[in-house]
Amino acid sequence: LLGLIVVVWSLIQAFAGLFLTVLQRFIHSFGMSYAQLRMYHATSGALLFTFACFATVLGLVSNWFRSKMPDHTVL
């Protein structure tokens, strides 16, 4: 479930970044400045990176992954 959230969040982040870059003239319709929206995008990206790392670690210590490793060890 966490991995699915990370994938969807990544797609939203990508489209938001594209929107900020390509469609700058429509940004004022949100009532915020370009600098504010960039800060929200950067903060969201930092949180997304943290969640992606956490999801990766959880995947590496899962029972499914351990059963696929020789001698059932991760390292």
Side-chain angles (χ1 to χ4, degrees):
L1 179 62
L2 185 62
L4 179 64
I5 291 170
V6 167
V7 168
V8 171
W9 192 354
S10 298
L11 291 174
I12 292 170
Q13 257 312 87
F15 285 118
L18 184 65
F19 180 77
L20 279 174
T21 303
V22 175
L23 304 173
Q24 290 183 10
R25 61 185 143 177
F26 298 111
I27 288 175
H28 296 293
S29 65
F30 288 116
M32 290 188 277
S33 69
Y34 179 72
Q36 285 176 321
L37 289 174
R38 277 186 46 202
M39 185 60 70
Y40 290 138
H41 180 69
T43 304
S44 177
L47 287 173
L48 174 62
F49 179 76
T50 304
F51 274 91
C53 290
F54 186 64
T56 302
V57 169
L58 284 178
L60 289 175
V61 297
S62 68
N63 289 333
W64 177 85
F65 186 77
R66 286 183 186 201
S67 69
K68 302 295 179 191
M69 295 299 292
D71 299 327
H72 301 292
T73 59
V74 175
L75 298 175

